Amino acid sequence: LAIHPRDNDLVIATHGRGIWIIDDITPLRGLTPEVLAKNVAFMKARPTVQRIGAFGGWVNGDAAFVAPNPTDDAVITYYLQKRHIFGDMKLEVLDSAGAVVTTLPSTKRRGLSRVTWSMRLKPPTVPAAASSAGGASVGPRLLPGTYTVRMTKDKETYSMPLTVVRDPRSTHSLADRRAQFNLAKRL
């Protein structure tokens, strides 16, 4: 057993040449008796890095086993003490002005749950013939900043901040990203 110091991932190696990795065990470490006594709790999240998209690679066939890379999405972890049965339950992401950016699918089961957010606006509405071009399948990527995750569970609301930071490898300024985002929204 080892804990990766940079990502806080639990790495488990077996004598049968197997390896298991549990990504970011911060939520598990945050399950204190005080948290377990609450009806709902958002687990502390590290800032989400908005990675630069990269494509490519080659096919290895059966010569190598390659696991999927970690998600580029923001990961939101929450705890429900009991299964949600009655009333509505929804999970929303709000921008710094308090406007709802998106509604995320959520599970109503008890215990820890994780949901991912692509940090994108909804895709544009285009004619059916234009959708085969591929650009209509995703919306523009939102700007780095502080967002709010809000859960409405029947009549109660719970929220937590979610910080999105730019990729440190990026050479674009925030003004460049803002101009790109505004142009994408206008188009």
Side-chain angles (χ1 to χ4, degrees), residues 75-142:
V75 178
I76 301 160
T77 307
Y78 60 93
Y79 167 78
L80 295 178
Q81 185 184 50
K82 296 178 183 171
R83 183 173 175 242
H84 181 75
I85 299 173
F86 300 107
D88 291 332
M89 182 174 151
K90 64 181 173 180
L91 198 59
E92 300 169 307
V93 178
L94 293 80
D95 63 14
S96 59
V100 175
V101 175
T102 191
T103 301
L104 301 170
S106 59
T107 180
K108 297 178 179 185
R109 66 173 195 211
R110 68 186 186 105
L112 279 178
S113 296
R114 280 186 168 171
V115 64
T116 59
W117 172 46
S118 66
M119 299 175 285
R120 292 183 177 275
L121 292 177
K122 290 183 179 180
T125 304
V126 296
S131 65
S132 65
S137 62
V138 295
R141 196 149 217 203
L142 290 163

Side-chain angles (χ1 to χ4, degrees), residues 9-49:
D9 295 345
L10 176 62
V11 181
I12 305 165
T14 70
H15 290 289
R17 296 185 299 176
I19 192 162
W20 296 81
I21 300 174
I22 301 174
D23 294 331
D24 190 15
I25 60 169
T26 305
L28 292 176
R29 289 181 162 180
L31 285 176
T32 62
E34 294 80 24
V35 170
L36 292 172
K38 294 180 181 180
N39 289 331
V40 174
F42 282 106
M43 306 311 292
K44 184 180 177 185
R46 59 185 177 207
T48 299
V49 177

